[in-house]
Amino acid sequence: MNDFPSSAELDALRLSLEVAARSVVFSLPLAVLVAWMLTRARFPGRALFDAFVHLPLVLPPVAVGYILLVLFGAHGPIGHWLREQFGIQLAFTTAGAALATAVMTFPLMVRAIRIALEGVDRGLEAAARTLGAGPVDRFFTITLPLVLPGVLAGAVTAFAAGLGEFGAVITFASNVPGVTRTLPLALYTAIQSPSGDTLALRLAILSFVLGLAGLLAAELLARRVRRYVGR
């Protein structure tokens, strides 16, 4: 364990960055849509839908991972269909780790985007409508630029949170070296090893630095975009 950085650290760092990035790319468009629905749309069951979207915030991560395993496992209804139709397997894979991370961090993005949407001046959208702009034009030319700080802040915050996701990932994707062993799982593995104290400390410090950098980046990016759009 005297070599620094060790192969275990590099693999865990690479996987953590990959999983967190894939989870954000996968869920960001859906988060924008869901935030818009919760802010602007009125439909029966809206409160229940809102609660369902934010459920991962209050459920134990292990429970979320187990539900994903039941649904997307090899014998689950969705997982079996994906494997039979497209040859896609999610459980115990890097893609599965990204899916579990996306589910856990999805409410963070939705909340950030929703707050930004609630701060948009409806008068600007109404003025664009009177000038003949359709719903899609209004969204991409008026609404989206105004909520961009919230979108970016939510994405970066979700990315930072994804770097530390543990319970859902280890339950759904397991702890496979080089495949699903992200920084939190590598830290857990090092702690279980009698000679892993040094590696565990370095992984803990690395996790702390990455998390702090992600939160600072989210705030700085949001401020810069707000200045750019004049808010």
Side-chain angles (χ1 to χ4, degrees):
M1 294 297 178
N2 293 326
D3 55 325
F4 179 78
S6 67
S7 59
E9 289 168 291
L10 291 176
D11 278 346
L13 176 60
R14 174 187 61 80
L15 276 172
S16 291
L17 295 173
E18 179 183 349
V19 165
R22 290 173 68 172
S23 70
V24 170
V25 171
F26 171 79
S27 58
L28 183 57
L30 184 59
V32 174
L33 174 62
V34 169
W36 185 88
M37 291 175 61
L38 292 175
T39 306
R40 303 298 174 82
R42 294 293 180 268
F43 53 90
R46 179 175 173 272
L48 181 61
F49 179 64
D50 190 1
F52 180 78
V53 168
H54 292 88
L55 198 56
L57 291 177
V58 297
L59 281 179
V62 174
V64 174
Y66 176 72
I67 293 171
L68 289 174
L69 191 60
V70 170
L71 294 176
F72 291 92
H75 301 290
I78 302 177
H80 179 74
W81 179 79
L82 288 174
R83 188 169 185 177
E84 290 294 320
Q85 298 297 322
F86 305 102
I88 296 175
Q89 178 177 335
L90 292 174
F92 313 118
T93 65
T94 305
L99 174 62
T101 302
V103 171
M104 293 302 301
T105 58
F106 186 75
L108 300 176
M109 283 194 287
V110 172
R111 289 175 70 88
I113 300 168
R114 186 177 178 180
I115 291 172
L117 277 168
E118 290 171 348
V120 172
D121 185 357
R122 296 287 188 92
L124 296 174
E125 297 174 328
R129 182 170 58 250
T130 60
L131 293 173
V136 177
D137 288 338
R138 292 198 304 271
F139 178 78
F140 283 102
T141 61
I142 302 295
T143 308
L144 186 58
L146 291 176
V147 302
L148 191 57
V151 173
L152 294 178
V156 177
T157 302
F159 177 82
L163 294 173
E165 177 51 41
F166 176 81
V169 172
I170 197 171
T171 306
F172 180 58
S174 191
N175 186 8
V176 183
V179 179
T180 64
R181 183 173 290 176
T182 56
L183 277 173
L185 275 65
L187 176 58
Y188 173 79
T189 303
I191 292 174
Q192 303 304 308
S193 172
S195 59
D197 290 347
T198 301
L199 177 59
L201 178 61
R202 294 204 300 245
L203 290 170
I205 293 173
L206 181 57
S207 299
F208 176 85
V209 171
L210 285 176
L212 182 61
L215 293 175
L216 290 174
E219 179 61 25
L220 294 174
L221 188 59
R223 289 182 182 180
R224 177 167 295 185
V225 175
R226 278 196 295 266
R227 287 198 299 267
Y228 179 75
V229 300
R231 295 190 68 191

